[in-house]
Amino acid sequence: MASHRELKKTLKPRHLSMIAIAGVIGAGLFVGSGAAIQQAGPGILLAYIAAGIVVVLVMRMLGEMAAANPETGSFSAYADKALGRWAGFSIGWLYAWFWIIVLGIEATAGAAIMHRWVPGVDQWIWALILMVLLTLTNVWSVKSYGEFEFWFASIKVTAIVLFLIAGVIAILGLIPGVPAPGLTNLLGHGGLMPNGASAVLAGILVVVFSFFGAEIATIAAGESSDPVTAVRKAVNSTVWRILIFYIGSIAVVVTLLPWDDASVAKSPYVAVIESFGIPAAATIMDIVVLTSVLSCLNSGLYTASRMIFSLSTRGDAPDSWSHVSRRGVPVSAVLASTIVGFITVGLNYLWPDTVFLFLVNTSGAIALFVWLVIACSQLILRRHADALGTKLTLRMWLFPYLTWISIIAITTMIVGMLFLDSTRESLLLSVGLAVVVVAIGLIRYRRQLSPVGPHEHSRDEDLAEALEEDAEAHGHGA
């Protein structure tokens, strides 16, 4: 095993495109959306649109920074430069923790489906098999990760596209035996917002987490032969991906079926497929959900390991975790993520409603913390880039106004979690974890908080030098 720290740039454009798509299509879309629809009625569409707008703005800000300086550490590395080493340390570890927890959740979900199909094999064995399979995929090479993700995403995209096509045909009344619904289901069961505007606002806090994962493409771009182009395409496609896959498919569900139907709460996509008269709808959706689970497991392991690798290269994790194999894979970082992932799977079986639930809740608000750090970092780095006259290949719209609007919107959502019974505990535990990690970061880098001496560089000067180096390295200087 080589001791150098260079990752192989073997991800192809088609890999990056599908990784970007897969990042926003999780099992939550197919399963979790039912509860959101039951909460807000057809007005959940407004919640998805509002949450989608925030995600598009965040991805644009992240894309601006990533196109100027593609790094595996992505927003953690940018927080280093913009806010201080303590910030990059803190958000990097919180993000890695989030995806490690996801490994436990998704492995258990996938094992449950496999156990239904093959009940003779214990569920914990299936969880072990899935974890081992995807660990081997990630350890072998980044290209193998990209290939698996390409095909996982292809299945998900094909399923949603077929669902949308069938849904539009049904809405037009062109499927025999399925009458055209018109606006009956949208407006005829208590109106667009049957539970009031407050339910729609609360719905935003429920659905916003479904979009987390779009940022994976900027992390994977660091292992692409043309990262700048890859980032630009991923960011520019965020709008239509959210519009088609989320808003489009949810619109089909609430148009074809009454929002208060019990089958919608249980599994909205299965309910729609069954309304078409298609046999084995539940099995079909099981296959799609299993694909989404495997995709999330694959990406979760990749993302956690790459963030840990980046932290290690910056001295914020054990040095051995930044060593890569001859294939360019940070094997130690992958195995470190996997071991903790195995532990979380075990905790999910042993103490699902106590220890594991506690750990899951500590990661509940991390998505919003990450987005807030991205917005704050972009605000600072963009101002310094403009001051230096740096030519950016991708620019945030209407800067700084939309950046400030994003910061206010994300902060409002964080505060809003306090007022929902379903999210209050998760927020408090997430904040508690964040306080501990930030405290460690501040203690670790307390020297940066001391007054600048007469012979020391200020942080602005250090940041300016870093931006100039980035511009020269990537050919974006003025």
mmCIF file of all heavy atoms in Angstrom, residues 40-70:
data_model
loop_
_atom_site.group_PDB
_atom_site.id
_atom_site.type_symbol
_atom_site.label_atom_id
_atom_site.label_comp_id
_atom_site.label_asym_id
_atom_site.label_seq_id
_atom_site.Cartn_x
_atom_site.Cartn_y
_atom_site.Cartn_z
ATOM 1 N N ALA A 40 -49.710 17.706 5.532
ATOM 2 C CA ALA A 40 -50.018 19.009 4.912
ATOM 3 C C ALA A 40 -51.036 18.944 3.786
ATOM 4 O O ALA A 40 -51.465 19.986 3.297
ATOM 5 C CB ALA A 40 -48.726 19.639 4.393
ATOM 6 N N GLY A 41 -51.444 17.732 3.361
ATOM 7 C CA GLY A 41 -52.366 17.627 2.240
ATOM 8 C C GLY A 41 -51.680 17.989 0.932
ATOM 9 O O GLY A 41 -50.446 17.985 0.836
ATOM 10 N N PRO A 42 -52.449 18.336 -0.101
ATOM 11 C CA PRO A 42 -51.864 18.704 -1.395
ATOM 12 C C PRO A 42 -50.897 19.884 -1.290
ATOM 13 O O PRO A 42 -50.002 20.049 -2.131
ATOM 14 C CB PRO A 42 -53.087 19.072 -2.248
ATOM 15 C CG PRO A 42 -54.220 18.344 -1.612
ATOM 16 C CD PRO A 42 -53.924 18.344 -0.150
ATOM 17 N N GLY A 43 -51.067 20.688 -0.230
ATOM 18 C CA GLY A 43 -50.183 21.834 -0.026
ATOM 19 C C GLY A 43 -48.744 21.438 0.211
ATOM 20 O O GLY A 43 -47.849 22.292 0.212
ATOM 21 N N ILE A 44 -48.485 20.118 0.393
ATOM 22 C CA ILE A 44 -47.113 19.660 0.567
ATOM 23 C C ILE A 44 -46.274 20.017 -0.655
ATOM 24 O O ILE A 44 -45.048 20.150 -0.564
ATOM 25 C CB ILE A 44 -47.074 18.129 0.835
ATOM 26 C CG1 ILE A 44 -45.717 17.717 1.421
ATOM 27 C CG2 ILE A 44 -47.361 17.355 -0.446
ATOM 28 C CD1 ILE A 44 -45.444 18.281 2.767
ATOM 29 N N LEU A 45 -46.947 20.191 -1.794
ATOM 30 C CA LEU A 45 -46.233 20.624 -3.005
ATOM 31 C C LEU A 45 -45.543 21.961 -2.764
ATOM 32 O O LEU A 45 -44.425 22.189 -3.225
ATOM 33 C CB LEU A 45 -47.208 20.744 -4.187
ATOM 34 C CG LEU A 45 -47.493 19.468 -4.980
ATOM 35 C CD1 LEU A 45 -48.614 19.718 -5.970
ATOM 36 C CD2 LEU A 45 -46.235 18.988 -5.688
ATOM 37 N N LEU A 46 -46.213 22.861 -2.064
ATOM 38 C CA LEU A 46 -45.628 24.167 -1.761
ATOM 39 C C LEU A 46 -44.415 24.005 -0.855
ATOM 40 O O LEU A 46 -43.422 24.729 -0.989
ATOM 41 C CB LEU A 46 -46.673 25.070 -1.094
ATOM 42 C CG LEU A 46 -47.941 25.340 -1.919
ATOM 43 C CD1 LEU A 46 -48.927 26.188 -1.102
ATOM 44 C CD2 LEU A 46 -47.596 26.046 -3.222
ATOM 45 N N ALA A 47 -44.500 23.039 0.080
ATOM 46 C CA ALA A 47 -43.369 22.776 0.974
ATOM 47 C C ALA A 47 -42.172 22.247 0.191
ATOM 48 O O ALA A 47 -41.028 22.657 0.424
ATOM 49 C CB ALA A 47 -43.783 21.776 2.054
ATOM 50 N N TYR A 48 -42.433 21.338 -0.750
ATOM 51 C CA TYR A 48 -41.344 20.804 -1.574
ATOM 52 C C TYR A 48 -40.720 21.896 -2.443
ATOM 53 O O TYR A 48 -39.507 21.932 -2.626
ATOM 54 C CB TYR A 48 -41.858 19.667 -2.464
ATOM 55 C CG TYR A 48 -41.780 18.307 -1.805
ATOM 56 C CD1 TYR A 48 -42.912 17.722 -1.243
ATOM 57 C CD2 TYR A 48 -40.581 17.616 -1.730
ATOM 58 C CE1 TYR A 48 -42.853 16.473 -0.631
ATOM 59 C CE2 TYR A 48 -40.499 16.372 -1.121
ATOM 60 C CZ TYR A 48 -41.639 15.802 -0.575
ATOM 61 O OH TYR A 48 -41.553 14.582 0.040
ATOM 62 N N ILE A 49 -41.562 22.786 -2.964
ATOM 63 C CA ILE A 49 -41.045 23.882 -3.788
ATOM 64 C C ILE A 49 -40.169 24.810 -2.951
ATOM 65 O O ILE A 49 -39.068 25.197 -3.356
ATOM 66 C CB ILE A 49 -42.214 24.666 -4.435
ATOM 67 C CG1 ILE A 49 -42.908 23.795 -5.493
ATOM 68 C CG2 ILE A 49 -41.703 25.962 -5.071
ATOM 69 C CD1 ILE A 49 -44.207 24.391 -6.010
ATOM 70 N N ALA A 50 -40.657 25.174 -1.755
ATOM 71 C CA ALA A 50 -39.892 26.078 -0.877
ATOM 72 C C ALA A 50 -38.569 25.445 -0.459
ATOM 73 O O ALA A 50 -37.513 26.089 -0.525
ATOM 74 C CB ALA A 50 -40.727 26.426 0.366
ATOM 75 N N ALA A 51 -38.611 24.176 -0.038
ATOM 76 C CA ALA A 51 -37.384 23.484 0.353
ATOM 77 C C ALA A 51 -36.453 23.331 -0.838
ATOM 78 O O ALA A 51 -35.230 23.480 -0.720
ATOM 79 C CB ALA A 51 -37.716 22.114 0.942
ATOM 80 N N GLY A 52 -37.038 23.061 -1.998
ATOM 81 C CA GLY A 52 -36.238 22.912 -3.217
ATOM 82 C C GLY A 52 -35.503 24.184 -3.587
ATOM 83 O O GLY A 52 -34.349 24.139 -4.034
ATOM 84 N N ILE A 53 -36.158 25.333 -3.394
ATOM 85 C CA ILE A 53 -35.522 26.622 -3.695
ATOM 86 C C ILE A 53 -34.294 26.821 -2.805
ATOM 87 O O ILE A 53 -33.233 27.257 -3.273
ATOM 88 C CB ILE A 53 -36.527 27.778 -3.513
ATOM 89 C CG1 ILE A 53 -37.578 27.730 -4.626
ATOM 90 C CG2 ILE A 53 -35.811 29.130 -3.516
ATOM 91 C CD1 ILE A 53 -38.723 28.713 -4.429
ATOM 92 N N VAL A 54 -34.430 26.501 -1.521
ATOM 93 C CA VAL A 54 -33.296 26.640 -0.590
ATOM 94 C C VAL A 54 -32.138 25.755 -1.033
ATOM 95 O O VAL A 54 -30.974 26.186 -1.052
ATOM 96 C CB VAL A 54 -33.724 26.289 0.850
ATOM 97 C CG1 VAL A 54 -32.505 26.274 1.779
ATOM 98 C CG2 VAL A 54 -34.755 27.290 1.365
ATOM 99 N N VAL A 55 -32.444 24.515 -1.412
ATOM 100 C CA VAL A 55 -31.396 23.582 -1.839
ATOM 101 C C VAL A 55 -30.704 24.070 -3.106
ATOM 102 O O VAL A 55 -29.476 23.987 -3.239
ATOM 103 C CB VAL A 55 -31.979 22.171 -2.059
ATOM 104 C CG1 VAL A 55 -30.915 21.231 -2.617
ATOM 105 C CG2 VAL A 55 -32.509 21.606 -0.749
ATOM 106 N N VAL A 56 -31.477 24.584 -4.046
ATOM 107 C CA VAL A 56 -30.896 25.110 -5.291
ATOM 108 C C VAL A 56 -29.928 26.253 -4.985
ATOM 109 O O VAL A 56 -28.825 26.328 -5.552
ATOM 110 C CB VAL A 56 -32.009 25.582 -6.246
ATOM 111 C CG1 VAL A 56 -31.423 26.407 -7.393
ATOM 112 C CG2 VAL A 56 -32.768 24.386 -6.814
ATOM 113 N N LEU A 57 -30.327 27.150 -4.081
ATOM 114 C CA LEU A 57 -29.452 28.274 -3.717
ATOM 115 C C LEU A 57 -28.188 27.788 -3.013
ATOM 116 O O LEU A 57 -27.088 28.269 -3.290
ATOM 117 C CB LEU A 57 -30.218 29.259 -2.817
ATOM 118 C CG LEU A 57 -31.396 29.996 -3.471
ATOM 119 C CD1 LEU A 57 -32.106 30.867 -2.442
ATOM 120 C CD2 LEU A 57 -30.936 30.831 -4.655
ATOM 121 N N VAL A 58 -28.345 26.819 -2.101
ATOM 122 C CA VAL A 58 -27.181 26.274 -1.395
ATOM 123 C C VAL A 58 -26.225 25.605 -2.374
ATOM 124 O O VAL A 58 -25.002 25.789 -2.307
ATOM 125 C CB VAL A 58 -27.618 25.278 -0.301
ATOM 126 C CG1 VAL A 58 -26.417 24.508 0.250
ATOM 127 C CG2 VAL A 58 -28.334 26.003 0.833
ATOM 128 N N MET A 59 -26.773 24.837 -3.306
ATOM 129 C CA MET A 59 -25.931 24.156 -4.287
ATOM 130 C C MET A 59 -25.233 25.154 -5.209
ATOM 131 O O MET A 59 -24.096 24.933 -5.630
ATOM 132 C CB MET A 59 -26.764 23.174 -5.106
ATOM 133 C CG MET A 59 -27.036 21.861 -4.388
ATOM 134 S SD MET A 59 -25.521 20.950 -3.984
ATOM 135 C CE MET A 59 -24.922 20.529 -5.626
ATOM 136 N N ARG A 60 -25.887 26.241 -5.503
ATOM 137 C CA ARG A 60 -25.250 27.272 -6.343
ATOM 138 C C ARG A 60 -24.073 27.891 -5.598
ATOM 139 O O ARG A 60 -23.005 28.122 -6.177
ATOM 140 C CB ARG A 60 -26.273 28.352 -6.709
ATOM 141 C CG ARG A 60 -25.748 29.394 -7.688
ATOM 142 C CD ARG A 60 -25.656 28.832 -9.084
ATOM 143 N NE ARG A 60 -25.061 29.793 -10.008
ATOM 144 C CZ ARG A 60 -25.022 29.630 -11.335
ATOM 145 N NH1 ARG A 60 -25.586 28.551 -11.880
ATOM 146 N NH2 ARG A 60 -24.449 30.523 -12.114
ATOM 147 N N MET A 61 -24.263 28.175 -4.308
ATOM 148 C CA MET A 61 -23.172 28.739 -3.508
ATOM 149 C C MET A 61 -22.019 27.749 -3.386
ATOM 150 O O MET A 61 -20.849 28.118 -3.540
ATOM 151 C CB MET A 61 -23.694 29.125 -2.117
ATOM 152 C CG MET A 61 -24.607 30.329 -2.114
ATOM 153 S SD MET A 61 -25.134 30.819 -0.453
ATOM 154 C CE MET A 61 -26.437 29.658 -0.117
ATOM 155 N N LEU A 62 -22.352 26.500 -3.119
ATOM 156 C CA LEU A 62 -21.315 25.477 -3.003
ATOM 157 C C LEU A 62 -20.619 25.271 -4.343
ATOM 158 O O LEU A 62 -19.394 25.104 -4.405
ATOM 159 C CB LEU A 62 -21.932 24.161 -2.524
ATOM 160 C CG LEU A 62 -20.981 22.972 -2.346
ATOM 161 C CD1 LEU A 62 -19.850 23.324 -1.391
ATOM 162 C CD2 LEU A 62 -21.742 21.749 -1.851
ATOM 163 N N GLY A 63 -21.398 25.311 -5.413
ATOM 164 C CA GLY A 63 -20.829 25.153 -6.749
ATOM 165 C C GLY A 63 -19.844 26.251 -7.096
ATOM 166 O O GLY A 63 -18.819 26.001 -7.739
ATOM 167 N N GLU A 64 -20.146 27.480 -6.672
ATOM 168 C CA GLU A 64 -19.235 28.593 -6.928
ATOM 169 C C GLU A 64 -17.880 28.330 -6.280
ATOM 170 O O GLU A 64 -16.830 28.523 -6.911
ATOM 171 C CB GLU A 64 -19.836 29.887 -6.370
ATOM 172 C CG GLU A 64 -18.926 31.101 -6.538
ATOM 173 C CD GLU A 64 -19.494 32.351 -5.885
ATOM 174 O OE1 GLU A 64 -20.426 32.933 -6.484
ATOM 175 O OE2 GLU A 64 -19.030 32.735 -4.797
ATOM 176 N N MET A 65 -17.903 27.866 -5.030
ATOM 177 C CA MET A 65 -16.646 27.603 -4.328
ATOM 178 C C MET A 65 -15.938 26.371 -4.890
ATOM 179 O O MET A 65 -14.709 26.353 -5.037
ATOM 180 C CB MET A 65 -16.919 27.418 -2.827
ATOM 181 C CG MET A 65 -17.461 28.674 -2.150
ATOM 182 S SD MET A 65 -17.695 28.481 -0.347
ATOM 183 C CE MET A 65 -19.100 27.368 -0.274
ATOM 184 N N ALA A 66 -16.711 25.327 -5.216
ATOM 185 C CA ALA A 66 -16.120 24.080 -5.703
ATOM 186 C C ALA A 66 -15.531 24.236 -7.100
ATOM 187 O O ALA A 66 -14.496 23.644 -7.413
ATOM 188 C CB ALA A 66 -17.168 22.977 -5.701
ATOM 189 N N ALA A 67 -16.168 25.043 -7.950
ATOM 190 C CA ALA A 67 -15.637 25.257 -9.299
ATOM 191 C C ALA A 67 -14.344 26.062 -9.240
ATOM 192 O O ALA A 67 -13.431 25.868 -10.057
ATOM 193 C CB ALA A 67 -16.674 25.971 -10.159
ATOM 194 N N ALA A 68 -14.248 26.966 -8.270
ATOM 195 C CA ALA A 68 -13.032 27.764 -8.119
ATOM 196 C C ALA A 68 -11.903 26.945 -7.505
ATOM 197 O O ALA A 68 -10.725 27.183 -7.793
ATOM 198 C CB ALA A 68 -13.324 28.983 -7.248
ATOM 199 N N ASN A 69 -12.273 25.963 -6.673
ATOM 200 C CA ASN A 69 -11.250 25.175 -5.978
ATOM 201 C C ASN A 69 -11.804 23.800 -5.631
ATOM 202 O O ASN A 69 -12.240 23.564 -4.501
ATOM 203 C CB ASN A 69 -10.812 25.906 -4.705
ATOM 204 C CG ASN A 69 -9.728 25.150 -3.960
ATOM 205 O OD1 ASN A 69 -8.965 24.393 -4.544
ATOM 206 N ND2 ASN A 69 -9.676 25.349 -2.650
ATOM 207 N N PRO A 70 -11.810 22.857 -6.595
ATOM 208 C CA PRO A 70 -12.358 21.515 -6.330
ATOM 209 C C PRO A 70 -11.511 20.779 -5.290
ATOM 210 O O PRO A 70 -10.314 20.609 -5.475
ATOM 211 C CB PRO A 70 -12.262 20.815 -7.700
ATOM 212 C CG PRO A 70 -12.025 21.901 -8.699
ATOM 213 C CD PRO A 70 -11.296 22.983 -7.968
#
